[in-house]
Amino acid sequence: MDTKMYNMWLQYDSINNQTLREQYTEFFSKVRLIGNSEIFDSIKEELEIAVDKMLQQKVGWTASDDAKIVIANSSDWNIKAVEGLNEEGYTIVSNGNQLKIIGNSDRGALYGVFHLLRMMQMQESITTLSIKEQPTNPFRMINQWDNLDGSVERGYSGNSIFYENGKIVEDKTRIKDYARFLSSVGINAISINNVNVWEEETYFITKKYLPEIAEIASIFRGYGLQLYLSINFASPIAIGDLETADPLDGSVKNWWKDKVREIYDFIPDFGGFVVKADSEHRPGPFSYDRDHADGSNMLAEALEPFDGKVIWRCFVYNCLQDWRDRSTDRARAAYDHFKPLDGRFHSNVILQIKNGPMDFQVREPVSPLIGAMSETNQMMELQIAQEYTGHQIDLCYLIPQWKEVFSFDTYIQGEGSTIEKIVAGQIHPYRHSGVVAVSNIGNDENWTGHTLAQANLYGFGRLAWNPSLESETIAKEWLKQTFPQNNDVEQTILDMLMSSWPIYENYNAPLGVGWMVTTHLHYGPSIDGYEYSRWGTYHFADRDGMGVDRTKETGTGYTEQYEEPNRSMYNNLDTCPDELLLFFHHVPYKHTLKSGKTVIQHIYDTHFEGYEQVLGLQKKWDQLERVLDEERFNNVKERLERQRLNAREWRDQINTYFYRKSGIADEKNRTIY
C-alpha cells in the first residue's frame, strides 16, 4: 500500500526545489555504508526507498574512500566513539564535499540517517552541518493493547496489525512499516500485546506462539526496537501444572526461570515482561498476601541472567471501592501502594507510572509518585490513544498537555526537580528510566483513524527523544513531512492542532473534575455514568456545589502526597490553579475563579464556546479542500463533523445538568435545554 494516508510522515515527496534537488543528488551519487547488521540492512533499504521517491534516482553505493556520504558505527570504522554522546547518539557533519553520519552504535547510525531524511523532507540544506544528537530518555517505549482476536483495547483505528481471528498475522509487511515509523522518531522498545492478558494470550510465552513472535522480534530488531511481552501473573496456574502463583514459592520461581530460558532460546535479545497485577480483576501477588516488590522481584530474578527487565505497572486501585465514602480516593492509590516499598525492588524492575493519578483525563495533576521513590527505577506512562480525549474522532493534539507534565517541578530534591529530569534519570540514580505510551494505531488505511491524530504518535517519539522540543516545533516538523509544502496548509493545520486541546477541554469535564463519560465506551457525556461510579459520582455535585475535597483538613488528604510548595498550593483554595480547582476542592457554584467568573458561569461559557470553536475548526479545514488530496481532506472533514455532534451533546448535557442541579441561570440568557 502506498498512499498519502498510509505513509504518514514518511511521504518522501519529490523534491521540486531545483537547488536542493541538485545538492541532494550530488551527495547520493556516492554513498558508503560501514557496518554489517540487520540495522544496516534497514538503513540501506530506507535510503533506497527515500532517494527513489524524492529524487527519482538510485543510490550510488560505493566502498570508496571518496564517498560523498559515509554512514558508520564508530566502532566498525575503528574511530573513537563520539565524545559526550551515549550509545544511541550520533553526529552528522558535512563540509560541502562529504557528509558523515557516525553513530556510537548501529542504532545511533540509524537515527542519524532518519535525521538526515527528516531534513531533506523539510527541504533544508545539508551542505554545511555540525549536528550532535542523543536521546534524553534511555527508554522510549510503545505499549500495544492488541488482543489475539484482532481487537484493540481502547483502539480507535480499526483492528490490530499484529493479530486477526485468533492468530498472528501471516503477512507482516505492515508490522515492518510500523517499525520504520517508530524508528524514525527514536522509539527503541515495544510490547506487542494487551496489558490485560486474557486466556489464549497467556500462551504467548510458550512454543505455541514463540516462533512467530520471534519473527516479529526480528523485524523490530532491524529498526532498533527491543520486543517485550505482557504476561499473566497467574501463568504458572493458567498454562503450567502448578496450583499456585505465589511469588515466594520455590516451584513458582523455578517455573518462571524455565519459562524465561525458553523465551530467550527463541528471542536472544528479548526485552522482558510488562505486568499489570492486582488491578481491575487481574491476578497478582495480593492473592498470596505478598506485595508488589515480592511479585516483581520473582520475575526479575528469572530475567536477570539475560539482562531482561520487568516493567511493573502502578495502575493499581480497588475498582470496587465505595465512592460514597469520601475518605476513599482512587487518586491516592498508586502512591499509597508503592511509596512504602521504595528500595525493595530489584535493579532490573522498572515501575511504570501514569502521568496523572487517575487515568489519562483531559486535565489532571501530575502523579506525585513520579520521583517520590529515589531507590526504584521509574518510567512515565502516557496515552497516545485518545481514550478520554475524543477517540481519534475529535481533534486533540496532545503534545502541549505532555509538555506541561514534563515541565512540572516536583521539588523532590528542591527547585528544578522536574518530571523531565526525573524520568531521564537525572534526579535519582536510576539504572533504567524513560517514557512509555499506549499506542494509537490500527489497521485503518491511515493508521490512526483521524489523519491528524498521526501528529500525536510522531510527537510522542520526538518528545521522548527530546522533551525540550516545543509543541509548535514538533507540529511543524510533522506537517512539513506529511502534507504538501504550502504556507496556507501549514499555518491552517498548525492553528488547528495548537488550539485543539483547549477546545476539547472547553466542552468536556470542567476545571479538572474529569470522568463525565459514558460507561465503558468513554466517548460522549454521561455526567453520573462512569462505570466505577455506580455507588456515587466522581464529581460529588449537589444543589450547592461540586468538586472533590482532597485537602488535608477536611478531605482525603491526597494533597499531602506532594512536596512543598506544591502541597500547600493545591491544598489552599486561594492558590490552587483554576484548571484543577474541582480536582482538589469542593466549592459552591458561585465560587469566584481567578478569571473573575463564577464556577457555574465558567461551565456555561466554556461549553458554549467549545461548540463554537469546533465550528471554527470546520471552517478552517474547508478552506484547504482545493490544495489537499481528496482522501485525507475527506477523512478529516468527516471526523470534524462527528466532533461537532459530540461537542453539541457535551454542551447541552453538561449545561442542562448543572442548571437543573444548581438552579442558577446563565448570565447571558442563552438557551439551556
Side-chain angles (χ1 to χ4, degrees), residues 342-504:
D342 192 21
R344 288 194 46 216
F345 293 90
H346 283 3
S347 61
N348 59 330
V349 174
I350 311 169
L351 298 185
Q352 181 170 311
I353 306 167
K354 290 190 177 186
N355 62 277
M358 301 300 268
D359 194 11
F360 306 127
Q361 298 298 292
V362 68
R363 176 76 68 173
E364 60 180 300
V366 173
S367 170
L369 183 61
I370 303 175
M373 303 174 71
S374 61
E375 300 179 63
T376 306
N377 300 320
Q378 294 186 341
M379 63 196 305
M380 179 171 65
E381 179 182 356
L382 304 172
Q383 190 191 63
I384 311 173
Q386 295 171 225
E387 179 180 353
Y388 294 99
T389 53
H391 282 206
Q392 288 159 210
I393 298 168
D394 298 30
L395 179 63
C396 191
Y397 181 53
L398 294 170
I399 313 308
Q401 183 193 63
W402 298 339
K403 285 285 293 181
E404 288 191 10
V405 174
F406 274 112
S407 64
F408 180 77
D409 196 340
T410 66
Y411 292 89
I412 290 291
Q413 286 193 354
E415 188 174 3
S417 302
T418 62
I419 297 295
E420 176 180 334
K421 292 180 180 179
I422 289 169
V423 299
Q426 297 170 5
I427 297 297
H428 303 310
Y430 293 153
R431 183 176 174 186
H432 307 291
S433 62
V435 192
V436 58
V438 181
S439 174
N440 68 334
I441 68 102
N443 68 357
D444 279 359
E445 184 180 357
N446 67 355
W447 296 88
T448 57
H450 194 312
T451 294
L452 299 189
Q454 294 172 6
N456 287 329
L457 180 59
Y458 178 88
F460 169 73
R462 295 292 286 135
L463 203 61
W465 180 278
N466 180 5
S468 67
L469 288 172
E470 295 299 326
S471 302
E472 189 168 317
T473 300
I474 292 171
K476 286 181 177 179
E477 282 185 4
W478 176 75
L479 284 165
K480 286 179 181 293
Q481 295 171 83
T482 303
F483 290 97
Q485 298 237 352
N486 176 300
N487 289 337
D488 289 339
V489 171
E490 180 180 322
Q491 193 57 54
T492 298
I493 302 179
L494 180 64
D495 290 345
M496 292 175 67
L497 290 174
M498 295 302 296
S499 63
S500 60
W501 176 40
I503 290 173
Y504 189 85

Side-chain angles (χ1 to χ4, degrees), residues 177 271 318 591 624 629:
D177 284 335
N318 179 8
H591 171 82
L624 302 179
D629 54 282

Side-chain angles (χ1 to χ4, degrees), residues 520-531:
H520 301 302
L521 182 62
H522 300 172
Y523 185 79
S526 181
I527 296 94
D528 290 329
Y530 182 68
E531 62 253 43

